[in-house]
Amino acid sequence: PPPHHDIYSIEDLAQLVFDLKNANPRAEVSVKLVSEAGVGTVAAGVAKAKADVILVSGDSGGTGASPLGSIKHAGIPWEIGLAETQQTLVLNGLRSRVRVETDGQLKTARDVVVAALLGAEEMGFGTVALVTMGCVLMRVCHLNTCPVGVATQDPILRARFAGEPEHVITYFTFLAEEVRALMAELGFRTFDEMVGRVERLRARTDVPGEKAKKLRLDRLLLRPPADAPRHRTERHDHELELAMDTVLIEQARPALDHGEPVEIEMPIRNVHRAACTLLSSEIARRFGAEGLPPESIRIRFTGSAGQSFGAFLAKGLDVTLVGDANDGFGKGLSGGRIVVFPPAESTFVPEQNIAVGNVALYGATSGEVFIRGMAGERFAVRNSGAVAVVEGIGDHGCEYMTGGRVIVLGGVGRNFAAGMSGGIAYVLDETSTLAGRVNPGSVELEPLAPEDRDLVRSLVHRHYQRTMSALAWRLLSGWKLSSRRFVKVMPTEYRRALAQGGGERPRTGAVS
Protein backbone atom coordinates (compact mmCIF):
# COMPACT_ATOMS: atom_id res chain seq x y z
CA PRO A 1 0.00 0.00 0.00
CA PRO A 2 1.17 3.58 -0.57
CA PRO A 3 2.57 5.56 2.35
CA HIS A 4 0.09 7.94 3.94
CA HIS A 5 2.34 10.53 5.52
CA ASP A 6 -0.43 12.15 7.54
CA ILE A 7 -0.93 8.93 9.54
CA TYR A 8 1.70 7.78 12.01
CA SER A 9 -0.51 6.68 14.91
CA ILE A 10 -4.05 5.72 15.83
CA GLU A 11 -4.53 9.31 17.00
CA ASP A 12 -3.60 10.55 13.51
CA LEU A 13 -6.07 8.07 12.04
CA ALA A 14 -8.79 9.25 14.40
CA GLN A 15 -8.18 12.81 13.24
CA LEU A 16 -8.42 11.75 9.58
CA VAL A 17 -11.69 9.92 10.25
CA PHE A 18 -13.00 13.06 11.95
CA ASP A 19 -11.90 15.20 8.99
CA LEU A 20 -13.67 12.91 6.53
CA LYS A 21 -16.83 12.84 8.62
CA ASN A 22 -16.84 16.64 8.60
CA ALA A 23 -16.23 16.66 4.85
CA ASN A 24 -19.22 14.36 4.32
CA PRO A 25 -21.25 13.42 7.41
CA ARG A 26 -23.38 11.04 5.34
CA ALA A 27 -20.44 8.95 4.12
CA GLU A 28 -19.02 5.93 5.90
CA VAL A 29 -15.27 5.76 6.46
CA SER A 30 -13.49 2.49 5.69
CA VAL A 31 -9.99 1.60 6.88
CA LYS A 32 -8.09 -1.16 5.11
CA LEU A 33 -5.74 -3.41 7.10
CA VAL A 34 -3.44 -6.16 5.89
CA SER A 35 -4.12 -9.61 7.27
CA GLU A 36 -1.12 -10.42 9.48
CA ALA A 37 -0.26 -11.42 13.01
CA GLY A 38 -1.45 -8.71 15.40
CA VAL A 39 -4.04 -7.24 13.04
CA GLY A 40 -6.67 -7.62 15.76
CA THR A 41 -4.90 -5.11 18.01
CA VAL A 42 -4.67 -2.63 15.15
CA ALA A 43 -8.35 -3.21 14.33
CA ALA A 44 -9.29 -2.41 17.94
CA GLY A 45 -7.47 0.91 17.60
CA VAL A 46 -9.24 1.61 14.31
CA ALA A 47 -12.62 0.94 15.96
CA LYS A 48 -11.72 3.34 18.76
CA ALA A 49 -10.76 5.88 16.08
CA LYS A 50 -14.45 5.68 15.06
CA ALA A 51 -14.06 4.18 11.60
CA ASP A 52 -17.29 2.73 10.23
CA VAL A 53 -15.82 -0.22 8.29
CA ILE A 54 -12.68 -2.27 8.84
CA LEU A 55 -11.42 -4.19 5.82
CA VAL A 56 -9.08 -7.11 6.53
CA SER A 57 -7.31 -7.84 3.26
CA GLY A 58 -5.75 -11.24 2.63
CA ASP A 59 -2.47 -12.13 0.97
CA SER A 60 -3.97 -13.33 -2.30
CA GLY A 61 -5.49 -11.32 -5.11
CA GLY A 62 -4.54 -7.70 -5.59
CA THR A 63 -3.63 -5.80 -8.70
CA GLY A 64 -1.63 -7.52 -11.40
CA ALA A 65 0.79 -4.58 -11.24
CA SER A 66 1.95 -5.60 -7.75
CA PRO A 67 5.62 -6.51 -7.36
CA LEU A 68 6.16 -10.27 -7.38
CA GLY A 69 7.78 -10.14 -3.96
CA SER A 70 4.66 -8.53 -2.50
CA ILE A 71 2.38 -11.03 -4.19
CA LYS A 72 4.33 -13.98 -2.81
CA HIS A 73 5.39 -12.80 0.62
CA ALA A 74 3.21 -9.94 1.95
CA GLY A 75 0.41 -10.74 4.36
CA ILE A 76 -1.28 -13.99 5.39
CA PRO A 77 -4.61 -15.63 4.37
CA TRP A 78 -7.72 -13.58 5.05
CA GLU A 79 -9.20 -16.33 7.23
CA ILE A 80 -6.48 -15.90 9.88
CA GLY A 81 -6.60 -12.11 9.98
CA LEU A 82 -10.40 -12.04 9.95
CA ALA A 83 -10.68 -14.52 12.82
CA GLU A 84 -8.20 -12.56 14.95
CA THR A 85 -9.97 -9.28 14.20
CA GLN A 86 -13.41 -10.67 15.08
CA GLN A 87 -12.20 -12.25 18.32
CA THR A 88 -10.34 -9.12 19.46
CA LEU A 89 -13.24 -6.78 18.70
CA VAL A 90 -15.79 -9.00 20.45
CA LEU A 91 -13.59 -9.51 23.53
CA ASN A 92 -13.07 -5.76 23.86
CA GLY A 93 -16.72 -4.83 23.33
CA LEU A 94 -15.99 -3.00 20.08
CA ARG A 95 -17.62 -5.27 17.50
CA SER A 96 -21.01 -3.57 17.72
CA ARG A 97 -19.55 -0.26 16.47
CA VAL A 98 -18.03 -1.33 13.14
CA ARG A 99 -18.75 -3.42 10.09
CA VAL A 100 -16.04 -5.90 9.18
CA GLU A 101 -15.17 -6.66 5.57
CA THR A 102 -12.66 -9.05 4.04
CA ASP A 103 -11.17 -9.75 0.62
CA GLY A 104 -8.34 -11.70 -0.99
CA GLN A 105 -9.37 -14.08 -3.80
CA LEU A 106 -12.92 -14.81 -2.69
CA LYS A 107 -14.60 -16.70 -5.53
CA THR A 108 -17.38 -19.03 -4.44
CA ALA A 109 -20.46 -19.02 -2.23
CA ARG A 110 -18.59 -21.24 0.19
CA ASP A 111 -15.95 -18.48 0.57
CA VAL A 112 -18.70 -15.98 1.36
CA VAL A 113 -20.33 -18.21 3.98
CA VAL A 114 -17.01 -19.08 5.64
CA ALA A 115 -16.11 -15.38 5.78
CA ALA A 116 -19.47 -14.57 7.38
CA LEU A 117 -19.15 -17.35 9.95
CA LEU A 118 -15.67 -16.04 10.85
CA GLY A 119 -17.12 -12.56 11.40
CA ALA A 120 -17.33 -10.60 8.13
CA GLU A 121 -20.49 -8.71 7.15
CA GLU A 122 -19.13 -7.62 3.77
CA MET A 123 -16.88 -9.26 1.18
CA GLY A 124 -14.82 -7.71 -1.59
CA PHE A 125 -14.46 -9.26 -5.04
CA GLY A 126 -11.83 -8.06 -7.49
CA THR A 127 -10.04 -10.65 -9.57
CA VAL A 128 -13.05 -12.86 -10.16
CA ALA A 129 -15.14 -9.91 -11.37
CA LEU A 130 -12.37 -9.01 -13.83
CA VAL A 131 -12.24 -12.62 -15.01
CA THR A 132 -15.95 -12.50 -15.83
CA MET A 133 -15.13 -9.56 -18.10
CA GLY A 134 -12.34 -11.39 -19.89
CA CYS A 135 -9.22 -10.99 -17.73
CA VAL A 136 -6.77 -13.87 -18.31
CA LEU A 137 -4.40 -12.98 -15.42
CA MET A 138 -1.39 -12.03 -17.54
CA ARG A 139 -0.23 -9.70 -14.71
CA VAL A 140 0.90 -6.96 -17.10
CA CYS A 141 -1.60 -4.35 -15.90
CA HIS A 142 1.19 -1.78 -15.45
CA LEU A 143 2.75 -2.29 -18.91
CA ASN A 144 -0.20 -1.17 -21.08
CA THR A 145 -0.03 -4.50 -22.95
CA CYS A 146 -3.13 -6.30 -21.63
CA PRO A 147 -3.94 -8.75 -24.47
CA VAL A 148 -7.70 -8.76 -23.76
CA GLY A 149 -8.12 -5.00 -23.42
CA VAL A 150 -9.09 -4.88 -19.74
CA ALA A 151 -6.18 -2.82 -18.34
CA THR A 152 -4.76 -0.78 -21.21
CA GLN A 153 -5.12 2.55 -22.97
CA ASP A 154 -3.88 1.14 -26.29
CA PRO A 155 -6.82 1.56 -28.72
CA ILE A 156 -5.88 -1.59 -30.67
CA LEU A 157 -5.83 -3.73 -27.52
CA ARG A 158 -8.94 -2.05 -26.10
CA ALA A 159 -10.82 -3.12 -29.22
CA ARG A 160 -10.36 -6.72 -28.05
CA PHE A 161 -12.35 -6.13 -24.86
CA ALA A 162 -15.41 -8.39 -24.94
CA GLY A 163 -16.77 -7.82 -21.43
CA GLU A 164 -20.39 -6.87 -20.80
CA PRO A 165 -22.10 -5.69 -17.59
CA GLU A 166 -24.41 -8.69 -17.87
CA HIS A 167 -21.44 -11.02 -17.39
CA VAL A 168 -20.74 -9.54 -13.96
CA ILE A 169 -24.43 -9.39 -13.07
CA THR A 170 -24.89 -13.06 -13.95
CA TYR A 171 -21.90 -14.13 -11.86
CA PHE A 172 -23.05 -12.28 -8.74
CA THR A 173 -26.65 -13.40 -9.20
CA PHE A 174 -25.62 -17.06 -9.21
CA LEU A 175 -23.22 -16.42 -6.32
CA ALA A 176 -26.02 -14.88 -4.23
CA GLU A 177 -28.40 -17.74 -5.04
CA GLU A 178 -25.83 -20.29 -3.92
CA VAL A 179 -25.17 -18.31 -0.72
CA ARG A 180 -28.92 -18.39 0.00
CA ALA A 181 -28.94 -22.16 -0.51
CA LEU A 182 -26.06 -22.66 1.92
CA MET A 183 -27.72 -20.35 4.45
CA ALA A 184 -30.91 -22.40 4.25
CA GLU A 185 -28.91 -25.58 4.73
CA LEU A 186 -27.31 -24.09 7.84
CA GLY A 187 -30.64 -22.81 9.16
CA PHE A 188 -30.06 -19.05 8.86
CA ARG A 189 -32.84 -16.79 7.65
CA THR A 190 -30.83 -13.54 7.48
CA PHE A 191 -27.20 -12.79 6.76
CA ASP A 192 -26.72 -11.00 10.10
CA GLU A 193 -27.75 -14.20 11.92
CA MET A 194 -24.84 -15.99 10.25
CA VAL A 195 -22.14 -13.39 11.03
CA GLY A 196 -19.73 -14.59 13.71
CA ARG A 197 -21.32 -18.02 14.20
CA VAL A 198 -17.92 -19.67 14.11
CA GLU A 199 -19.25 -22.71 16.00
CA ARG A 200 -20.88 -23.81 12.74
CA LEU A 201 -17.44 -24.38 11.21
CA ARG A 202 -15.34 -27.48 11.79
CA ALA A 203 -11.85 -28.49 10.76
CA ARG A 204 -11.60 -31.15 8.09
CA THR A 205 -9.96 -34.42 9.14
CA ASP A 206 -9.75 -36.08 5.73
CA VAL A 207 -6.90 -33.97 4.32
CA PRO A 208 -4.00 -36.25 3.29
CA GLY A 209 -0.40 -35.57 4.29
CA GLU A 210 1.60 -35.67 7.51
CA LYS A 211 1.81 -31.88 7.79
CA ALA A 212 -1.97 -31.53 7.47
CA LYS A 213 -2.48 -33.93 10.38
CA LYS A 214 -0.38 -31.67 12.62
CA LEU A 215 -2.39 -28.58 11.74
CA ARG A 216 -4.49 -27.19 14.60
CA LEU A 217 -7.27 -24.73 13.88
CA ASP A 218 -8.52 -24.41 17.45
CA ARG A 219 -7.56 -20.73 17.77
CA LEU A 220 -8.92 -19.90 14.34
CA LEU A 221 -12.29 -21.41 15.23
CA LEU A 222 -12.42 -20.06 18.77
CA ARG A 223 -15.64 -18.36 19.75
CA PRO A 224 -15.00 -15.51 22.18
CA PRO A 225 -16.62 -16.22 25.55
CA ALA A 226 -17.85 -12.65 25.84
CA ASP A 227 -21.60 -12.23 25.57
CA ALA A 228 -21.38 -9.30 23.13
CA PRO A 229 -22.76 -8.51 19.66
CA ARG A 230 -21.05 -10.35 16.80
CA HIS A 231 -21.97 -7.76 14.17
CA ARG A 232 -22.58 -4.02 14.03
CA THR A 233 -25.64 -2.90 15.96
CA GLU A 234 -24.90 0.81 16.56
CA ARG A 235 -23.19 3.80 14.98
CA HIS A 236 -20.40 6.01 16.25
CA ASP A 237 -21.25 9.42 17.62
CA HIS A 238 -18.78 11.86 16.06
CA GLU A 239 -20.34 14.79 17.95
CA LEU A 240 -20.48 16.91 14.81
CA GLU A 241 -23.34 18.90 16.30
CA LEU A 242 -20.81 20.34 18.78
CA ALA A 243 -18.44 21.56 16.04
CA MET A 244 -17.74 25.25 15.56
CA ASP A 245 -19.08 24.93 12.02
CA THR A 246 -22.65 24.61 13.22
CA VAL A 247 -22.39 28.29 14.22
CA LEU A 248 -20.57 29.20 11.00
CA ILE A 249 -23.26 27.55 8.86
CA GLU A 250 -26.00 29.53 10.60
CA GLN A 251 -24.12 32.80 10.18
CA ALA A 252 -23.43 31.98 6.53
CA ARG A 253 -27.12 31.37 5.69
CA PRO A 254 -27.46 34.56 3.57
CA ALA A 255 -24.69 33.33 1.28
CA LEU A 256 -25.89 29.73 1.22
CA ASP A 257 -29.58 30.53 0.70
CA HIS A 258 -29.54 33.76 -1.27
CA GLY A 259 -26.00 34.29 -2.58
CA GLU A 260 -25.45 37.40 -0.44
CA PRO A 261 -21.83 38.06 0.67
CA VAL A 262 -21.18 37.36 4.35
CA GLU A 263 -18.41 38.45 6.73
CA ILE A 264 -17.83 36.58 10.00
CA GLU A 265 -15.38 37.23 12.85
CA MET A 266 -14.76 34.63 15.54
CA PRO A 267 -12.11 33.62 18.07
CA ILE A 268 -10.64 30.14 17.70
CA ARG A 269 -8.81 27.73 20.01
CA ASN A 270 -6.82 24.57 19.43
CA VAL A 271 -9.77 22.45 20.58
CA HIS A 272 -11.64 23.51 17.44
CA ARG A 273 -10.68 20.80 14.96
CA ALA A 274 -11.41 20.80 11.22
CA ALA A 275 -12.77 24.34 11.34
CA CYS A 276 -14.67 25.32 8.16
CA THR A 277 -14.79 21.72 6.87
CA LEU A 278 -18.44 21.10 7.74
CA LEU A 279 -19.28 24.47 6.16
CA SER A 280 -17.38 23.41 3.02
CA SER A 281 -19.39 20.18 3.00
CA GLU A 282 -22.61 22.20 3.05
CA ILE A 283 -21.37 24.30 0.11
CA ALA A 284 -20.36 21.21 -1.86
CA ARG A 285 -23.70 19.54 -1.22
CA ARG A 286 -25.63 22.56 -2.45
CA PHE A 287 -23.45 23.86 -5.26
CA GLY A 288 -21.20 20.95 -6.23
CA ALA A 289 -17.58 21.35 -7.27
CA GLU A 290 -18.26 24.86 -8.60
CA GLY A 291 -18.86 26.13 -5.08
CA LEU A 292 -19.75 29.76 -4.47
CA PRO A 293 -18.41 32.89 -6.23
CA PRO A 294 -15.03 34.09 -4.86
CA GLU A 295 -15.13 35.62 -1.37
CA SER A 296 -18.82 34.92 -0.88
CA ILE A 297 -18.09 33.99 2.72
CA ARG A 298 -15.21 35.81 4.40
CA ILE A 299 -14.21 34.55 7.83
CA ARG A 300 -11.62 36.08 10.15
CA PHE A 301 -10.40 33.95 13.04
CA THR A 302 -8.17 35.10 15.89
CA GLY A 303 -6.21 32.64 18.01
CA SER A 304 -4.57 29.22 17.68
CA ALA A 305 -6.48 26.86 15.40
CA GLY A 306 -6.67 23.14 16.06
CA GLN A 307 -5.90 20.16 13.83
CA SER A 308 -6.96 20.23 10.16
CA PHE A 309 -7.86 23.91 10.04
CA GLY A 310 -9.53 24.60 6.69
CA ALA A 311 -9.46 20.97 5.56
CA PHE A 312 -11.19 20.48 2.17
CA LEU A 313 -11.98 24.20 2.07
CA ALA A 314 -14.50 24.84 -0.73
CA LYS A 315 -14.60 27.53 -3.40
CA GLY A 316 -16.14 30.76 -2.22
CA LEU A 317 -14.60 30.62 1.26
CA ASP A 318 -11.95 33.24 2.07
CA VAL A 319 -10.51 32.47 5.50
CA THR A 320 -8.02 34.60 7.42
CA LEU A 321 -6.33 33.35 10.58
CA VAL A 322 -4.62 35.90 12.80
CA GLY A 323 -2.51 33.49 14.84
CA ASP A 324 -1.23 30.01 14.10
CA ALA A 325 -2.50 26.52 13.30
CA ASN A 326 -1.72 22.92 14.19
CA ASP A 327 -1.03 19.95 11.88
CA GLY A 328 -3.18 19.20 8.85
CA PHE A 329 -3.65 22.87 7.94
CA GLY A 330 -5.42 23.18 4.57
CA LYS A 331 -5.52 19.42 4.05
CA GLY A 332 -7.31 18.58 0.79
CA LEU A 333 -7.81 22.29 -0.01
CA SER A 334 -10.54 22.38 -2.67
CA GLY A 335 -10.67 25.87 -4.10
CA GLY A 336 -10.86 28.10 -1.03
CA ARG A 337 -8.30 30.64 0.16
CA ILE A 338 -6.48 30.67 3.51
CA VAL A 339 -4.30 33.51 4.80
CA VAL A 340 -2.26 33.20 8.01
CA PHE A 341 -0.24 35.88 9.77
CA PRO A 342 0.67 36.66 13.39
CA PRO A 343 -1.08 39.34 15.45
CA ALA A 344 0.24 42.89 15.07
CA GLU A 345 1.43 42.93 18.68
CA SER A 346 3.68 39.88 18.17
CA THR A 347 7.33 40.50 19.01
CA PHE A 348 8.93 37.54 17.18
CA VAL A 349 10.21 37.47 13.60
CA PRO A 350 7.52 35.62 11.61
CA GLU A 351 9.80 34.11 8.96
CA GLN A 352 11.87 32.52 11.72
CA ASN A 353 8.94 30.89 13.53
CA ILE A 354 6.44 28.15 12.78
CA ALA A 355 3.01 29.43 11.79
CA VAL A 356 1.39 26.15 10.71
CA GLY A 357 2.21 22.56 11.67
CA ASN A 358 3.08 19.40 9.77
CA VAL A 359 1.37 17.99 6.64
CA ALA A 360 -0.08 21.36 5.66
CA LEU A 361 -1.79 21.32 2.25
CA TYR A 362 -1.65 17.52 2.18
CA GLY A 363 -3.49 16.39 -0.95
CA ALA A 364 -4.67 19.91 -1.88
CA THR A 365 -6.35 20.07 -5.29
CA SER A 366 -6.99 23.80 -5.85
CA GLY A 367 -7.14 27.10 -4.05
CA GLU A 368 -4.64 29.55 -2.55
CA VAL A 369 -2.65 29.79 0.66
CA PHE A 370 -0.52 32.67 1.95
CA ILE A 371 1.43 32.00 5.16
CA ARG A 372 3.47 34.66 6.92
CA GLY A 373 5.83 32.39 8.78
CA MET A 374 7.20 28.87 8.44
CA ALA A 375 5.42 25.55 7.97
CA GLY A 376 6.40 22.21 9.50
CA GLU A 377 7.38 19.00 7.76
CA ARG A 378 5.74 17.49 4.65
CA PHE A 379 4.38 20.75 3.32
CA ALA A 380 2.22 20.37 0.18
CA VAL A 381 2.72 16.61 -0.06
CA ARG A 382 0.59 15.29 -2.94
CA ASN A 383 -0.49 18.81 -3.85
CA SER A 384 -2.16 18.57 -7.24
CA GLY A 385 -3.28 22.11 -7.97
CA ALA A 386 -3.11 24.59 -5.10
CA VAL A 387 -0.98 27.75 -5.15
CA ALA A 388 0.93 28.48 -1.94
CA VAL A 389 3.37 31.08 -0.63
CA VAL A 390 5.20 30.27 2.61
CA GLU A 391 8.28 31.70 4.31
CA GLY A 392 10.13 28.44 5.06
CA ILE A 393 9.34 24.74 5.46
CA GLY A 394 10.64 21.61 7.19
CA ASP A 395 11.72 18.25 5.77
CA HIS A 396 10.07 16.37 2.89
CA GLY A 397 8.38 19.41 1.36
CA CYS A 398 6.46 18.98 -1.93
CA GLU A 399 6.84 15.21 -1.78
CA TYR A 400 4.82 13.40 -4.50
CA MET A 401 3.50 16.77 -5.70
CA THR A 402 1.72 16.50 -9.06
CA GLY A 403 0.46 20.03 -9.74
CA GLY A 404 0.10 23.59 -8.53
CA ARG A 405 2.73 26.18 -7.61
CA VAL A 406 4.64 26.49 -4.34
CA ILE A 407 6.82 29.50 -3.51
CA VAL A 408 9.12 29.21 -0.51
CA LEU A 409 10.55 32.54 0.66
CA GLY A 410 13.12 30.88 2.88
CA GLY A 411 14.89 27.64 3.68
CA VAL A 412 13.67 24.11 3.03
CA GLY A 413 14.41 20.95 4.98
CA ARG A 414 15.89 17.68 3.78
CA ASN A 415 14.50 15.53 0.97
CA PHE A 416 12.69 18.36 -0.78
CA ALA A 417 10.66 17.41 -3.90
CA ALA A 418 11.06 13.64 -3.52
CA GLY A 419 8.87 11.88 -6.07
CA MET A 420 7.60 15.20 -7.39
CA SER A 421 6.16 14.63 -10.86
CA GLY A 422 4.14 17.80 -11.57
CA GLY A 423 3.69 21.42 -10.67
CA ILE A 424 6.60 23.78 -10.02
CA ALA A 425 8.28 25.02 -6.84
CA TYR A 426 10.22 28.27 -6.56
CA VAL A 427 12.64 28.54 -3.63
CA LEU A 428 14.48 31.63 -2.40
CA ASP A 429 17.97 30.12 -2.07
CA GLU A 430 19.86 32.92 -0.30
CA THR A 431 22.44 30.55 1.24
CA SER A 432 22.99 28.47 -1.93
CA THR A 433 22.21 25.24 -0.05
CA LEU A 434 19.12 24.12 -1.95
CA ALA A 435 21.01 21.67 -4.19
CA GLY A 436 22.05 19.66 -1.13
CA ARG A 437 18.51 19.45 0.21
CA VAL A 438 16.63 18.51 -2.94
CA ASN A 439 15.97 14.87 -3.76
CA PRO A 440 17.55 14.70 -7.24
CA GLY A 441 15.68 11.63 -8.40
CA SER A 442 12.79 13.42 -10.09
CA VAL A 443 13.55 17.15 -10.41
CA GLU A 444 16.04 19.57 -11.93
CA LEU A 445 17.15 22.97 -10.61
CA GLU A 446 17.33 25.97 -12.92
CA PRO A 447 17.18 29.78 -12.84
CA LEU A 448 13.92 31.62 -13.39
CA ALA A 449 12.81 32.37 -16.93
CA PRO A 450 11.14 35.78 -17.60
CA GLU A 451 7.63 34.29 -17.32
CA ASP A 452 8.64 32.63 -14.03
CA ARG A 453 9.82 35.98 -12.64
CA ASP A 454 6.50 37.58 -13.52
CA LEU A 455 4.56 34.76 -11.85
CA VAL A 456 6.69 34.75 -8.70
CA ARG A 457 6.62 38.55 -8.39
CA SER A 458 2.83 38.54 -8.78
CA LEU A 459 2.39 35.95 -6.05
CA VAL A 460 4.91 37.57 -3.69
CA HIS A 461 3.07 40.87 -4.18
CA ARG A 462 -0.25 39.22 -3.35
CA HIS A 463 1.41 37.60 -0.34
CA TYR A 464 2.43 41.07 0.87
CA GLN A 465 -1.05 42.48 0.25
CA ARG A 466 -2.68 39.68 2.22
CA THR A 467 -0.22 39.31 5.12
CA MET A 468 1.77 42.59 5.22
CA SER A 469 4.89 40.42 5.29
CA ALA A 470 8.09 42.41 5.94
CA LEU A 471 10.05 39.72 4.12
CA ALA A 472 7.87 40.06 1.01
CA TRP A 473 8.28 43.84 1.15
CA ARG A 474 12.09 43.56 1.24
CA LEU A 475 12.08 41.17 -1.72
CA LEU A 476 9.77 43.38 -3.78
CA SER A 477 11.78 46.50 -2.93
CA GLY A 478 14.91 45.00 -4.44
CA TRP A 479 13.23 42.68 -6.93
CA LYS A 480 15.89 42.99 -9.63
CA LEU A 481 18.46 41.49 -7.27
CA SER A 482 16.24 39.23 -5.15
CA SER A 483 14.67 37.57 -8.21
CA ARG A 484 18.10 36.18 -9.09
CA ARG A 485 18.19 34.29 -5.79
CA PHE A 486 15.13 32.20 -6.65
CA VAL A 487 15.65 28.68 -7.97
CA LYS A 488 13.06 26.87 -10.05
CA VAL A 489 12.46 23.25 -9.06
CA MET A 490 11.17 21.54 -12.20
CA PRO A 491 10.03 17.89 -12.29
CA THR A 492 11.51 15.99 -15.21
CA GLU A 493 8.23 14.15 -15.84
CA TYR A 494 6.34 17.43 -15.98
CA ARG A 495 8.85 18.85 -18.44
CA ARG A 496 8.41 15.79 -20.64
CA ALA A 497 4.59 16.14 -20.49
CA LEU A 498 4.81 19.81 -21.47
CA ALA A 499 7.12 18.95 -24.37
CA GLN A 500 4.51 16.49 -25.60
CA GLY A 501 1.76 19.11 -25.42
CA GLY A 502 0.07 17.88 -22.22
CA GLY A 503 0.47 18.52 -18.53
CA GLU A 504 -1.08 20.86 -16.01
CA ARG A 505 -1.24 24.57 -16.74
CA PRO A 506 -1.29 27.24 -14.02
CA ARG A 507 -4.78 28.44 -13.21
CA THR A 508 -5.12 32.04 -14.38
CA GLY A 509 -7.49 32.88 -11.55
CA ALA A 510 -4.85 31.84 -9.02
CA VAL A 511 -2.35 34.45 -10.15
CA SER A 512 -4.61 37.29 -11.31
Side-chain angles (χ1 to χ4, degrees):
H4 294 284
H5 291 306
D6 57 340
I7 305 173
Y8 283 94
S9 66
I10 291 297
E11 288 78 14
D12 290 341
L13 180 66
Q15 179 62 45
L16 177 58
V17 171
F18 184 76
D19 297 343
L20 296 173
K21 278 293 182 181
N22 277 269
N24 187 352
R26 304 177 186 180
E28 294 208 321
V29 180
S30 174
V31 176
K32 181 176 182 178
L33 305 177
V34 176
S35 178
E36 60 179 353
V39 68
T41 302
V42 180
V46 173
K48 291 178 181 179
K50 297 189 176 181
D52 299 298
V53 182
I54 297 175
L55 166 57
V56 180
S57 190
D59 63 340
S60 302
T63 170
S66 300
L68 191 60
S70 297
I71 293 173
K72 287 189 172 184
H73 305 296
I76 58 178
W78 58 264
E79 293 93 337
I80 301 175
L82 174 60
E84 181 181 335
T85 297
Q86 174 74 2
Q87 293 169 20
T88 304
L89 293 177
V90 172
L91 285 170
N92 288 276
L94 299 169
R95 185 62 180 86
S96 62
R97 307 181 192 178
V98 294
R99 288 206 315 276
V100 175
E101 181 184 348
T102 193
D103 67 16
Q105 287 289 16
L106 299 174
K107 299 186 184 72
T108 67
R110 178 185 180 278
D111 295 334
V112 172
V113 172
V114 169
L117 294 173
L118 287 174
E121 290 144 300
E122 297 180 351
M123 297 82 194
F125 294 83
T127 302
V128 69
L130 288 172
V131 169
T132 65
M133 291 189 289
C135 173
V136 291
L137 303 178
M138 290 295 290
R139 295 199 177 277
V140 291
C141 309
H142 57 306
L143 299 178
N144 203 37
T145 59
C146 177
V148 291
V150 173
T152 178
Q153 299 301 315
D154 188 318
I156 297 176
L157 295 175
R158 289 180 69 177
R160 302 180 184 178
F161 180 68
E164 297 290 344
E166 290 73 19
H167 299 163
V168 185
I169 293 170
T170 300
Y171 165 74
F172 281 112
T173 300
F174 279 106
L175 181 74
E177 288 295 336
E178 190 175 354
V179 169
R180 291 178 66 187
L182 290 175
M183 286 175 57
E185 188 177 335
L186 290 168
F188 298 116
R189 290 175 294 179
T190 66
F191 202 86
D192 279 349
E193 290 179 20
M194 185 168 58
V195 174
R197 296 291 298 275
V198 68
E199 70 275 7
R200 303 304 297 270
L201 288 170
R202 62 177 177 81
R204 289 176 56 183
T205 58
D206 59 343
V207 181
E210 290 300 316
K211 286 186 177 180
K213 292 179 181 178
K214 298 178 182 178
L215 194 60
R216 296 290 179 267
L217 302 181
D218 300 350
R219 293 193 177 184
L220 188 71
L221 302 179
L222 175 68
R223 180 176 181 180
D227 185 17
R230 294 185 298 269
H231 58 86
R232 188 168 84 166
T233 59
E234 58 183 307
R235 293 182 179 272
H236 292 292
D237 180 10
H238 296 274
E239 300 181 338
L240 298 185
E241 68 280 0
L242 302 178
M244 167 188 280
D245 281 48
T246 55
V247 178
L248 294 177
I249 291 172
E250 287 305 314
Q251 295 193 18
R253 286 291 176 194
L256 296 173
D257 296 339
H258 309 294
E260 301 174 3
V262 172
E263 292 194 14
I264 303 171
E265 290 196 18
M266 291 185 67
I268 193 169
R269 297 168 52 212
N270 58 10
V271 296
H272 298 130
R273 300 184 295 153
C276 298
T277 303
L278 206 56
L279 175 58
S280 295
S281 173
E282 188 69 18
I283 293 173
R285 185 173 298 110
R286 293 183 180 218
F287 306 101
E290 293 303 315
L292 291 168
E295 301 185 15
S296 293
I297 303 175
R298 302 180 65 178
I299 307 175
R300 184 183 178 93
F301 292 106
T302 304
S304 293
Q307 302 275 346
S308 302
F309 176 78
F312 307 105
L313 196 72
K315 293 179 181 178
L317 278 171
D318 189 325
V319 179
T320 298
L321 172 62
V322 184
D324 50 31
N326 278 276
D327 295 349
F329 166 90
K331 176 191 298 184
L333 187 71
S334 301
R337 179 190 292 133
I338 311 179
V339 179
V340 181
F341 55 85
E345 61 271 18
S346 298
T347 57
F348 57 82
V349 181
E351 60 266 30
Q352 297 176 5
N353 288 270
I354 298 290
V356 300
N358 297 326
V359 294
L361 289 187
Y362 186 96
T365 60
S366 58
E368 297 177 333
V369 166
F370 299 97
I371 304 170
R372 185 180 181 187
M374 300 174 63
E377 296 183 2
R378 303 195 185 280
F379 181 82
V381 170
R382 292 196 174 96
N383 174 31
S384 63
V387 174
V389 182
V390 64
E391 299 183 351
I393 61 175
D395 297 342
H396 315 294
C398 297
E399 191 175 20
Y400 308 128
M401 183 166 144
T402 61
R405 300 291 183 268
V406 171
I407 298 177
V408 185
L409 307 180
V412 302
R414 298 173 297 120
N415 198 38
F416 182 76
M420 182 177 171
S421 61
I424 301 174
Y426 302 95
V427 180
L428 181 65
D429 189 20
E430 292 188 298
T431 58
S432 301
T433 57
L434 179 63
R437 295 181 174 274
V438 168
N439 189 307
S442 56
V443 297
E444 299 173 355
L445 304 183
E446 57 191 59
L448 269 60
E451 60 271 19
D452 294 317
R453 289 196 193 93
D454 293 341
L455 173 65
V456 173
R457 189 181 188 283
S458 171
L459 287 171
V460 173
H461 185 256
R462 295 190 65 202
H463 179 64
Y464 169 71
Q465 289 179 316
R466 291 280 177 175
T467 67
M468 299 303 294
S469 167
L471 173 59
W473 173 252
R474 290 197 301 269
L475 293 173
L476 292 169
S477 299
W479 183 249
K480 188 173 182 180
L481 178 61
S482 58
S483 63
R484 299 174 186 170
R485 300 173 185 164
F486 279 92
V487 177
K488 180 180 181 180
V489 182
M490 184 70 175
T492 53
E493 288 294 326
Y494 184 36
R495 187 192 302 280
R496 185 178 298 114
L498 290 177
Q500 295 173 353
E504 171 251 9
R505 293 286 192 273
R507 294 167 171 80
T508 55
V511 295
S512 58

